[in-house]
């Protein structure tokens, strides 16, 4: 729409020069103005054609995507993320068990640590850190 030269108001309020003979208008003035109006209409038509083409391409793209979505089988189970079953306590208990197996802690020490884990979860991390550091020192 950058090629448009006249607004609706300009066209409506246009005054032509009067001819010297009588009450008519200067033919060259009217022809020049009509040429400008024609070029505006051509610019409008070009813009309309471009927008129609773009609109059709977008409609085709929507139809294709809709077809692809509908082609996906709905009976297939959708992959859902695994539920967050593992809490921090579960992870710490597993970590404690792995450390016991790897470093060979005595079963009495393991039972004491397991009781601490069950009774006071906030101290679990301290127990595991102490147990690990004492086993590394050995």
């Amino acid at each position: 729409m950058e090629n448009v030269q006249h607004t609706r108001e300009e066209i409506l309020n246009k005054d032509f020069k009067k001819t010297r003979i009588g009450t008519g208008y200067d033919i060259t003035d009217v022809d020049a103005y009509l040429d400008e109006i024609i070029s505006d209409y051509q610019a409008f038509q070009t813009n309309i054609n471009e927008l129609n083409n773009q609109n059709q391409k977008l409609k085709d793209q929507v139809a294709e995507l809709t077809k692809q979505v509908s082609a996906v089988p709905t009976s297939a189970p959708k992959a859902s993320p695994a539920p967050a079953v593992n809490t921090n306590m579960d992870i710490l208990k597993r970590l404690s068990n792995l450390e016991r197996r790897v470093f060979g802690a005595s079963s009495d020490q393991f039972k004491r640590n397991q009781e601490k884990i069950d009774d006071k979860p906030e101290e679990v991390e301290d127990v595991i850190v102490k147990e690990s550091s004492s086993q590394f020192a050995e």
Side-chain angles (χ1 to χ4, degrees):
M1 303 256 295
E2 59 272 348
N3 296 335
V4 176
Q5 299 174 8
H6 300 285
T7 64
R8 180 179 175 271
E9 289 78 24
E10 288 175 346
I11 295 170
L12 187 61
N13 297 325
K14 175 66 176 169
D15 286 330
F16 295 101
K17 297 177 189 173
K18 303 284 183 183
T19 61
R20 292 179 221 172
I21 311 170
T23 60
Y25 296 104
D26 185 16
I27 294 173
T28 57
D29 191 24
V30 172
D31 284 343
Y33 189 70
L34 289 175
D35 288 342
E36 291 173 3
I37 298 298
I38 294 291
S39 68
D40 281 352
Y41 277 99
Q42 288 173 344
F44 282 129
Q45 191 60 47
T46 302
N47 289 338
I48 289 170
N49 290 340
E50 289 175 5
L51 292 173
N52 283 335
N53 289 337
Q54 182 181 9
N55 190 17
Q56 188 59 45
K57 286 178 185 176
L58 292 173
K59 284 180 180 179
D60 292 343
Q61 186 178 7
V62 166
E64 180 65 29
L65 292 173
T66 303
K67 189 186 307 180
Q68 289 176 3
V69 167
S70 63
V72 174
T74 57
S75 62
K78 294 181 179 178
S80 61
V85 176
N86 296 335
T87 62
N88 288 338
M89 286 301 298
D90 292 334
I91 294 171
L92 290 173
K93 285 180 182 180
R94 289 178 184 177
L95 182 61
S96 178
N97 287 337
L98 286 172
E99 287 178 343
R100 181 178 54 86
R101 289 179 186 157
V102 170
F103 298 113
S106 69
S107 61
D108 292 334
Q109 183 181 7
F110 174 73
K111 288 179 184 176
R112 279 181 277 147
N113 290 342
Q114 193 67 34
E115 289 171 1
K116 288 181 184 178
I117 288 173
D118 293 335
D119 294 339
K120 299 177 185 173
E122 60 276 356
E123 297 177 11
V124 170
E125 190 173 328
D126 294 336
V127 170
I128 293 173
V129 170
K130 287 179 185 176
E131 182 180 303
S132 298
S133 56
S134 68
Q135 290 172 352
F136 280 121
E138 293 176 351

